[in-house]
Amino acid sequence: MSPTKLSSDVQLKSKSRWSVRLGSLEWAKHTHERSAEDPLQLFGSARHGMQIGALAKLGDEFVLVVGDHVTALSHVDNKDLAAATAHAGSADRPIVFQPMPVRATTSVVVVIKRRRVPTPH
């Protein structure tokens, strides 16, 4: 994939909280390029709350990579990420997957006015 191309937005299913960006520009933010013999296959970057890193596949399982540290993901996370990357196929440009936005409720603000007491000068 060319690092200069733009990303397009695609939504994951509503229950998924993963945010995925595919492409070499994305995984390069979290780890270095691997040799051809390395079993890691880098796809892009993934974020789930405070968990963020390069998205890679190690065998049949997705993992997050930060530097040389590899973190295994749960079975449910692997299913979500497999579904997300299946839509990418062999596209020419990087694809961005974003979870459905959560509707935020408006917060209630209470303003309490204070009495002003005059002071003698």
Side-chain angles (χ1 to χ4, degrees):
M1 287 185 214
S2 174
T4 59
K5 296 194 179 193
L6 297 175
S7 301
S8 63
D9 290 331
V10 178
Q11 290 188 347
L12 292 172
K13 62 184 183 178
S14 62
K15 290 185 179 182
S16 178
R17 288 190 167 78
W18 282 98
S19 218
V20 179
R21 291 176 167 258
L22 300 180
S24 59
L25 279 179
E26 292 301 321
W27 61 254
K29 295 175 187 176
H30 305 285
T31 190
H32 55 87
E33 191 167 359
R34 308 295 172 154
S35 66
E37 301 86 36
D38 198 310
L40 280 176
Q41 180 184 4
L42 296 167
F43 287 99
S45 66
R47 172 183 223 131
H48 179 258
M50 296 296 288
Q51 196 174 16
I52 187 169
L55 179 64
K57 221 172 183 183
L58 185 60
D60 291 334
E61 300 292 317
F62 282 99
V63 293
L64 282 184
V65 182
V66 178
D68 285 328
H69 181 76
V70 178
T71 304
L73 299 174
S74 71
H75 179 70
V76 173
D77 291 338
N78 266 282
K79 284 177 61 177
D80 284 349
L81 292 168
T85 56
H87 296 300
S90 61
D92 293 353
R93 59 184 185 183
I95 298 179
V96 178
F97 298 94
Q98 295 291 340
M100 298 283 291
V102 178
R103 291 192 151 193
T105 59
T106 58
S107 57
V108 177
V109 177
V110 178
V111 178
I112 301 174
K113 293 187 176 188
R114 297 185 179 235
R115 262 202 265 181
R116 298 172 98 190
V117 179
T119 57
H121 294 239

